[in-house]
Amino acid sequence: MEKLVVTGPTPLKGEVIINGAKNAAVAILPATLLIDGCCTIENLPNISDIKISCEILEKLGAKITWNSKNSITVDTTNIITTKAPLDLTSKFRASYYVIGAMLGRMGEIEVGMPGGCKLGARPIDQHIKGFELLGANVTVEKGTIYAKAKKLKGCPIYMDIVSVGATINVMLASVLAKGTTIIDNAAKEPHIVDVANFLNTMGADIRGAGTDVIKINGVEKLHGNATYSVVPDQIEAGTFMLAAVATRGDITLKNCITKHLESITAKIIEVGGNVQDNGDSIRVWCNKRPSKANIKTLPYPGFPTDLQPQMGVVLSIANGTSMITESIWESRFQYTEELNKMGAQITAHGKNAFFEGVKKLSGAPVYSTDLRAGAALVIAGAVAEGTTEIYNLEHIDRGYEDIEGKFRKIGAKIKRVTE
Ligand code: EPU
């Protein structure tokens, strides 16, 4: 078993280069199934979710060549099966994107229900509703999803809930459908725009991504033969911004899109941190104890749920009592019990958690309960006095490339140990 051992307190200082966005990359890889040919994808984060996505593509018949640790060329000329490997698709959430992509390309797919972080109920009814409106027949039996369509036909689709996954999945299914699809009440996250940009680069006709109405005019085929670079990761950038505030450090992030970080910047300034926007880099520093603040997680451009635990570390040591309202996931406060083991005073009730700010945290053995909780615990380890041991690293490794290397480069005393 592996653990991360972090000794603090350390103000984190220096430069971090932000990788490509996990949640864009895990959709762009299955989107290559819509291409009858080759394409190259750059700025891929080197994380376990990407490696599993590549294995799934290979099992379906794609040929993958690694050009470097962050770039691959995918050849999807020959698709040899419409059965996605159940053991791999159950390992992470975004495996559901093979449904939209394979319905579009092959008109058929059989895939296990997706896995991923345990954040409460994670229904996929909006995905299924979208596929059915496009003309697919979808059934779910004993944990397997069967989807089939003769020829998908574009139509208006109103999403009952703003869903990242359903917006992308329906977009994938519509690209090669006959006629026009209009997704209303679409999600607007940067990764939605990135997937649309990728598909348009390959010959799709998608307009309006990044607004709440997306129009997809079906095309005959996607041509491939192009190179695409994944958008920088908004959540990885936000994680390091909040690490600078929590540890009273000074971190400059390179390769980020500062426009995507506005909701985080606003909260950092509210708690007394400083932010300098340099266009394609951003500097965040803080030289005093953060002040209290109230946060509500919301779909983009609101404060992202995927930075809620990292913000929770900042508020756990803030001056005064803060409240976080989690409006996306039912169970995203499990990390608060781990922070309480380190001396935080947090009480979570349903959608709300109350943070009585303490002056300091103390090192303790803690468990990463999901991906972003794990990142929050690494920050907490750098804040705390003494040694923190973080277990369940498989969550962290799903979404952060070389987390200990990046934290070490900005001064954290952190090492990975195999027990
Ligand atoms: N929902 C439904 N029905 C659906 C789909 C979603 O009720 O058919 C609900 C969900 O239960 C949730 C809300 O709608 O309450 C939003 O869910 P969404 O579909 O937007 O989430 P997702 O696509 O499953 C993605 C990210 C998550 C991130 C959320 C919200 C990927 C692979 N995952 O999940 O990322 O928290 O959007 O922004 O893109 C993470 O990276 O740590 C992570 C969990």
CSV table of all heavy atoms in Angstrom, one decimal, residues 75-117:
chain,number,residue,atom,x,y,z
A,75,ASP,N,-5.6,6.0,-33.8
A,75,ASP,CA,-6.1,5.6,-35.1
A,75,ASP,C,-7.4,4.8,-34.9
A,75,ASP,O,-7.4,3.7,-34.4
A,75,ASP,CB,-5.1,4.8,-35.8
A,75,ASP,CG,-5.5,4.3,-37.2
A,75,ASP,OD1,-6.7,4.5,-37.5
A,75,ASP,OD2,-4.7,3.8,-38.0
A,76,THR,N,-8.5,5.4,-35.2
A,76,THR,CA,-9.8,4.7,-35.0
A,76,THR,C,-10.4,4.2,-36.3
A,76,THR,O,-11.7,4.2,-36.4
A,76,THR,CB,-10.8,5.6,-34.2
A,76,THR,OG1,-10.7,7.0,-34.8
A,76,THR,CG2,-10.5,5.7,-32.8
A,77,THR,N,-9.6,3.9,-37.3
A,77,THR,CA,-10.1,3.4,-38.6
A,77,THR,C,-10.9,2.2,-38.4
A,77,THR,O,-12.0,2.0,-39.0
A,77,THR,CB,-8.9,3.2,-39.6
A,77,THR,OG1,-8.1,4.3,-39.6
A,77,THR,CG2,-9.4,2.9,-41.0
A,78,ASN,N,-10.4,1.2,-37.6
A,78,ASN,CA,-11.1,-0.1,-37.4
A,78,ASN,C,-11.6,-0.2,-36.0
A,78,ASN,O,-10.9,-0.3,-35.1
A,78,ASN,CB,-10.1,-1.2,-37.7
A,78,ASN,CG,-9.6,-1.2,-39.1
A,78,ASN,OD1,-10.4,-1.1,-40.1
A,78,ASN,ND2,-8.3,-1.3,-39.3
A,79,ILE,N,-12.9,-0.3,-35.9
A,79,ILE,CA,-13.6,-0.6,-34.7
A,79,ILE,C,-14.0,-2.0,-34.8
A,79,ILE,O,-14.7,-2.4,-35.7
A,79,ILE,CB,-14.8,0.3,-34.4
A,79,ILE,CG1,-14.3,1.8,-34.4
A,79,ILE,CG2,-15.5,0.0,-33.1
A,79,ILE,CD1,-13.3,2.1,-33.3
A,80,ILE,N,-13.6,-2.9,-33.8
A,80,ILE,CA,-13.8,-4.3,-34.0
A,80,ILE,C,-14.9,-4.9,-33.1
A,80,ILE,O,-15.3,-6.0,-33.3
A,80,ILE,CB,-12.4,-5.1,-33.7
A,80,ILE,CG1,-11.9,-4.7,-32.3
A,80,ILE,CG2,-11.4,-4.8,-34.8
A,80,ILE,CD1,-10.7,-5.5,-31.9
A,81,THR,N,-15.4,-4.1,-32.2
A,81,THR,CA,-16.5,-4.6,-31.3
A,81,THR,C,-17.3,-3.5,-30.8
A,81,THR,O,-16.9,-2.3,-30.8
A,81,THR,CB,-15.9,-5.4,-30.1
A,81,THR,OG1,-17.0,-5.8,-29.3
A,81,THR,CG2,-14.9,-4.6,-29.3
A,82,THR,N,-18.6,-3.8,-30.4
A,82,THR,CA,-19.4,-2.8,-29.8
A,82,THR,C,-19.6,-3.1,-28.4
A,82,THR,O,-20.6,-2.6,-27.7
A,82,THR,CB,-20.8,-2.7,-30.6
A,82,THR,OG1,-21.4,-4.0,-30.6
A,82,THR,CG2,-20.6,-2.2,-32.0
A,83,LYS,N,-18.8,-4.0,-27.8
A,83,LYS,CA,-18.9,-4.3,-26.4
A,83,LYS,C,-17.7,-3.7,-25.7
A,83,LYS,O,-16.6,-4.1,-25.9
A,83,LYS,CB,-18.8,-5.9,-26.2
A,83,LYS,CG,-20.1,-6.5,-26.5
A,83,LYS,CD,-20.1,-8.0,-26.1
A,83,LYS,CE,-21.4,-8.6,-26.7
A,83,LYS,NZ,-21.4,-10.1,-26.6
A,84,ALA,N,-18.0,-2.7,-24.8
A,84,ALA,CA,-16.9,-2.1,-24.1
A,84,ALA,C,-16.5,-3.0,-22.9
A,84,ALA,O,-17.4,-3.6,-22.3
A,84,ALA,CB,-17.3,-0.7,-23.6
A,85,PRO,N,-15.2,-3.1,-22.6
A,85,PRO,CA,-14.8,-4.0,-21.5
A,85,PRO,C,-15.3,-3.6,-20.1
A,85,PRO,O,-15.0,-2.5,-19.6
A,85,PRO,CB,-13.3,-3.9,-21.5
A,85,PRO,CG,-13.0,-2.7,-22.2
A,85,PRO,CD,-14.1,-2.4,-23.1
A,86,LEU,N,-16.2,-4.4,-19.5
A,86,LEU,CA,-16.9,-4.1,-18.2
A,86,LEU,C,-15.9,-3.8,-17.1
A,86,LEU,O,-16.1,-2.9,-16.3
A,86,LEU,CB,-17.8,-5.2,-17.8
A,86,LEU,CG,-18.9,-5.6,-18.7
A,86,LEU,CD1,-19.9,-6.5,-18.0
A,86,LEU,CD2,-19.7,-4.4,-19.2
A,87,ASP,N,-14.8,-4.6,-17.1
A,87,ASP,CA,-13.8,-4.4,-15.9
A,87,ASP,C,-13.2,-3.0,-16.0
A,87,ASP,O,-12.9,-2.4,-15.0
A,87,ASP,CB,-12.8,-5.5,-16.0
A,87,ASP,CG,-12.1,-5.6,-17.3
A,87,ASP,OD1,-12.7,-5.3,-18.3
A,87,ASP,OD2,-10.9,-5.9,-17.3
A,88,LEU,N,-13.0,-2.5,-17.2
A,88,LEU,CA,-12.3,-1.2,-17.3
A,88,LEU,C,-13.3,0.0,-17.2
A,88,LEU,O,-13.1,1.0,-16.5
A,88,LEU,CB,-11.6,-1.0,-18.7
A,88,LEU,CG,-10.5,-2.0,-18.9
A,88,LEU,CD1,-9.9,-1.8,-20.3
A,88,LEU,CD2,-9.3,-1.7,-17.9
A,89,THR,N,-14.5,-0.2,-17.8
A,89,THR,CA,-15.5,0.9,-17.7
A,89,THR,C,-16.0,1.2,-16.3
A,89,THR,O,-16.4,2.3,-16.0
A,89,THR,CB,-16.7,0.7,-18.7
A,89,THR,OG1,-17.2,-0.6,-18.4
A,89,THR,CG2,-16.2,0.8,-20.1
A,90,SER,N,-16.0,0.1,-15.5
A,90,SER,CA,-16.5,0.3,-14.1
A,90,SER,C,-15.5,1.1,-13.2
A,90,SER,O,-15.8,1.4,-12.1
A,90,SER,CB,-16.8,-1.1,-13.5
A,90,SER,OG,-15.6,-1.8,-13.4
A,91,LYS,N,-14.3,1.3,-13.8
A,91,LYS,CA,-13.2,1.9,-12.9
A,91,LYS,C,-13.4,3.5,-12.8
A,91,LYS,O,-12.8,4.1,-12.0
A,91,LYS,CB,-11.8,1.6,-13.5
A,91,LYS,CG,-11.5,0.2,-13.2
A,91,LYS,CD,-10.0,0.0,-13.4
A,91,LYS,CE,-9.6,-1.5,-13.1
A,91,LYS,NZ,-8.4,-1.9,-13.7
A,92,PHE,N,-14.1,4.1,-13.7
A,92,PHE,CA,-14.2,5.6,-13.6
A,92,PHE,C,-15.5,6.1,-14.3
A,92,PHE,O,-16.1,5.3,-15.1
A,92,PHE,CB,-12.9,6.2,-14.2
A,92,PHE,CG,-12.8,6.2,-15.7
A,92,PHE,CD1,-12.6,7.3,-16.4
A,92,PHE,CD2,-12.8,5.0,-16.3
A,92,PHE,CE1,-12.5,7.3,-17.8
A,92,PHE,CE2,-12.7,4.9,-17.7
A,92,PHE,CZ,-12.5,6.0,-18.4
A,93,ARG,N,-15.8,7.3,-13.9
A,93,ARG,CA,-17.1,7.8,-14.3
A,93,ARG,C,-17.3,8.1,-15.8
A,93,ARG,O,-18.3,7.8,-16.4
A,93,ARG,CB,-17.2,9.2,-13.6
A,93,ARG,CG,-18.6,9.8,-13.6
A,93,ARG,CD,-19.5,9.0,-12.7
A,93,ARG,NE,-20.9,9.3,-13.0
A,93,ARG,CZ,-21.9,8.5,-12.7
A,93,ARG,NH1,-21.6,7.3,-12.1
A,93,ARG,NH2,-23.1,8.8,-13.0
A,94,ALA,N,-16.2,8.7,-16.4
A,94,ALA,CA,-16.3,9.2,-17.7
A,94,ALA,C,-16.4,8.1,-18.8
A,94,ALA,O,-16.5,8.4,-20.0
A,94,ALA,CB,-15.1,10.1,-18.0
A,95,SER,N,-16.3,6.8,-18.4
A,95,SER,CA,-16.5,5.7,-19.3
A,95,SER,C,-17.8,5.8,-20.0
A,95,SER,O,-18.0,5.2,-21.1
A,95,SER,CB,-16.3,4.4,-18.6
A,95,SER,OG,-17.2,4.2,-17.6
A,96,TYR,N,-18.8,6.5,-19.4
A,96,TYR,CA,-20.1,6.6,-20.1
A,96,TYR,C,-20.0,7.4,-21.4
A,96,TYR,O,-20.9,7.3,-22.2
A,96,TYR,CB,-21.2,7.2,-19.2
A,96,TYR,CG,-20.9,8.5,-18.5
A,96,TYR,CD1,-20.2,9.5,-19.0
A,96,TYR,CD2,-21.5,8.7,-17.2
A,96,TYR,CE1,-20.0,10.7,-18.4
A,96,TYR,CE2,-21.3,9.9,-16.5
A,96,TYR,CZ,-20.6,10.9,-17.1
A,96,TYR,OH,-20.4,12.1,-16.4
A,97,TYR,N,-18.9,8.1,-21.7
A,97,TYR,CA,-18.8,8.8,-23.0
A,97,TYR,C,-18.7,7.8,-24.2
A,97,TYR,O,-18.9,8.2,-25.3
A,97,TYR,CB,-17.7,9.8,-23.0
A,97,TYR,CG,-17.9,11.0,-22.0
A,97,TYR,CD1,-16.9,11.4,-21.2
A,97,TYR,CD2,-19.1,11.6,-22.0
A,97,TYR,CE1,-17.1,12.5,-20.3
A,97,TYR,CE2,-19.3,12.7,-21.2
A,97,TYR,CZ,-18.3,13.1,-20.3
A,97,TYR,OH,-18.5,14.2,-19.5
A,98,VAL,N,-18.3,6.6,-23.9
A,98,VAL,CA,-18.3,5.7,-25.1
A,98,VAL,C,-19.7,5.4,-25.6
A,98,VAL,O,-19.9,5.0,-26.7
A,98,VAL,CB,-17.6,4.3,-24.8
A,98,VAL,CG1,-16.1,4.4,-24.4
A,98,VAL,CG2,-18.3,3.5,-23.8
A,99,ILE,N,-20.7,5.7,-24.8
A,99,ILE,CA,-22.1,5.4,-25.3
A,99,ILE,C,-22.4,6.4,-26.4
A,99,ILE,O,-22.8,6.0,-27.5
A,99,ILE,CB,-23.1,5.5,-24.1
A,99,ILE,CG1,-22.7,4.7,-22.9
A,99,ILE,CG2,-24.5,5.1,-24.6
A,99,ILE,CD1,-23.7,4.8,-21.7
A,100,GLY,N,-22.3,7.7,-26.1
A,100,GLY,CA,-22.6,8.7,-27.1
A,100,GLY,C,-21.7,8.5,-28.4
A,100,GLY,O,-22.2,8.5,-29.5
A,101,ALA,N,-20.4,8.3,-28.1
A,101,ALA,CA,-19.5,8.2,-29.3
A,101,ALA,C,-19.8,6.9,-30.1
A,101,ALA,O,-19.8,7.0,-31.3
A,101,ALA,CB,-18.1,8.2,-28.8
A,102,MET,N,-20.0,5.8,-29.5
A,102,MET,CA,-20.2,4.6,-30.2
A,102,MET,C,-21.6,4.5,-30.9
A,102,MET,O,-21.8,4.0,-31.9
A,102,MET,CB,-20.0,3.3,-29.3
A,102,MET,CG,-18.6,3.1,-29.0
A,102,MET,SD,-17.7,2.5,-30.4
A,102,MET,CE,-18.1,0.7,-30.4
A,103,LEU,N,-22.6,5.2,-30.2
A,103,LEU,CA,-23.9,5.3,-30.9
A,103,LEU,C,-23.8,6.1,-32.1
A,103,LEU,O,-24.3,5.7,-33.2
A,103,LEU,CB,-24.9,6.0,-29.9
A,103,LEU,CG,-25.8,5.1,-29.0
A,103,LEU,CD1,-26.7,6.0,-28.2
A,103,LEU,CD2,-26.7,4.1,-29.9
A,104,GLY,N,-23.0,7.1,-32.1
A,104,GLY,CA,-22.8,8.0,-33.2
A,104,GLY,C,-22.0,7.2,-34.3
A,104,GLY,O,-22.4,7.3,-35.5
A,105,ARG,N,-21.0,6.5,-34.0
A,105,ARG,CA,-20.1,5.8,-35.0
A,105,ARG,C,-20.7,4.5,-35.5
A,105,ARG,O,-20.7,4.2,-36.6
A,105,ARG,CB,-18.7,5.6,-34.3
A,105,ARG,CG,-17.8,4.7,-35.1
A,105,ARG,CD,-17.1,5.5,-36.3
A,105,ARG,NE,-16.3,4.6,-37.1
A,105,ARG,CZ,-15.0,4.5,-36.9
A,105,ARG,NH1,-14.4,5.1,-36.0
A,105,ARG,NH2,-14.3,3.7,-37.7
A,106,MET,N,-21.2,3.7,-34.5
A,106,MET,CA,-21.5,2.3,-34.9
A,106,MET,C,-23.0,2.0,-34.7
A,106,MET,O,-23.5,1.0,-35.1
A,106,MET,CB,-20.8,1.3,-33.9
A,106,MET,CG,-19.3,1.4,-33.9
A,106,MET,SD,-18.5,1.1,-35.4
A,106,MET,CE,-18.6,-0.7,-35.5
A,107,GLY,N,-23.8,2.9,-34.1
A,107,GLY,CA,-25.2,2.7,-33.9
A,107,GLY,C,-25.5,1.7,-32.8
A,107,GLY,O,-26.6,1.2,-32.6
A,108,GLU,N,-24.5,1.3,-32.0
A,108,GLU,CA,-24.7,0.3,-31.0
A,108,GLU,C,-23.6,0.3,-30.0
A,108,GLU,O,-22.4,0.5,-30.3
A,108,GLU,CB,-24.6,-1.1,-31.7
A,108,GLU,CG,-25.1,-2.2,-30.9
A,108,GLU,CD,-25.3,-3.5,-31.7
A,108,GLU,OE1,-25.2,-3.4,-32.9
A,108,GLU,OE2,-25.4,-4.5,-31.1
A,109,ILE,N,-23.9,0.0,-28.7
A,109,ILE,CA,-22.9,-0.1,-27.7
A,109,ILE,C,-23.4,-0.9,-26.5
A,109,ILE,O,-24.6,-0.8,-26.2
A,109,ILE,CB,-22.3,1.2,-27.2
A,109,ILE,CG1,-21.2,1.1,-26.2
A,109,ILE,CG2,-23.4,2.1,-26.7
A,109,ILE,CD1,-19.9,0.5,-26.6
A,110,GLU,N,-22.6,-1.7,-25.9
A,110,GLU,CA,-22.9,-2.4,-24.6
A,110,GLU,C,-21.8,-2.1,-23.6
A,110,GLU,O,-20.7,-2.3,-23.9
A,110,GLU,CB,-22.9,-3.9,-24.9
A,110,GLU,CG,-23.3,-4.8,-23.8
A,110,GLU,CD,-23.3,-6.3,-24.1
A,110,GLU,OE1,-23.6,-6.6,-25.3
A,110,GLU,OE2,-22.8,-7.0,-23.3
A,111,VAL,N,-22.2,-1.5,-22.5
A,111,VAL,CA,-21.2,-1.0,-21.6
A,111,VAL,C,-21.7,-1.1,-20.1
A,111,VAL,O,-22.9,-1.0,-19.9
A,111,VAL,CB,-20.9,0.5,-21.9
A,111,VAL,CG1,-22.0,1.4,-21.9
A,111,VAL,CG2,-19.7,1.0,-21.1
A,112,GLY,N,-20.8,-1.4,-19.2
A,112,GLY,CA,-21.2,-1.5,-17.8
A,112,GLY,C,-21.5,-0.1,-17.2
A,112,GLY,O,-21.1,0.9,-17.8
A,113,MET,N,-22.3,0.0,-16.1
A,113,MET,CA,-22.6,1.3,-15.5
A,113,MET,C,-21.2,1.9,-15.0
A,113,MET,O,-20.4,1.1,-14.6
A,113,MET,CB,-23.5,1.1,-14.3
A,113,MET,CG,-24.9,0.8,-14.6
A,113,MET,SD,-25.7,2.2,-15.5
A,113,MET,CE,-26.3,3.2,-14.1
A,114,PRO,N,-21.1,3.2,-15.2
A,114,PRO,CA,-19.8,3.8,-14.8
A,114,PRO,C,-19.5,3.7,-13.3
A,114,PRO,O,-20.4,3.7,-12.5
A,114,PRO,CB,-19.9,5.2,-15.3
A,114,PRO,CG,-21.4,5.5,-15.4
A,114,PRO,CD,-22.0,4.2,-15.6
A,115,GLY,N,-18.2,3.8,-13.0
A,115,GLY,CA,-17.7,3.8,-11.6
A,115,GLY,C,-17.4,5.3,-11.3
A,115,GLY,O,-18.1,6.2,-11.7
A,116,GLY,N,-16.3,5.5,-10.5
A,116,GLY,CA,-15.8,6.8,-10.2
A,116,GLY,C,-16.0,7.1,-8.7
A,116,GLY,O,-16.4,6.3,-7.9
A,117,CYS,N,-15.7,8.4,-8.4
A,117,CYS,CA,-15.8,8.8,-7.0
A,117,CYS,C,-17.2,8.6,-6.4
A,117,CYS,O,-18.2,8.9,-7.1
A,117,CYS,CB,-15.4,10.3,-6.8
A,117,CYS,SG,-13.7,10.6,-7.2
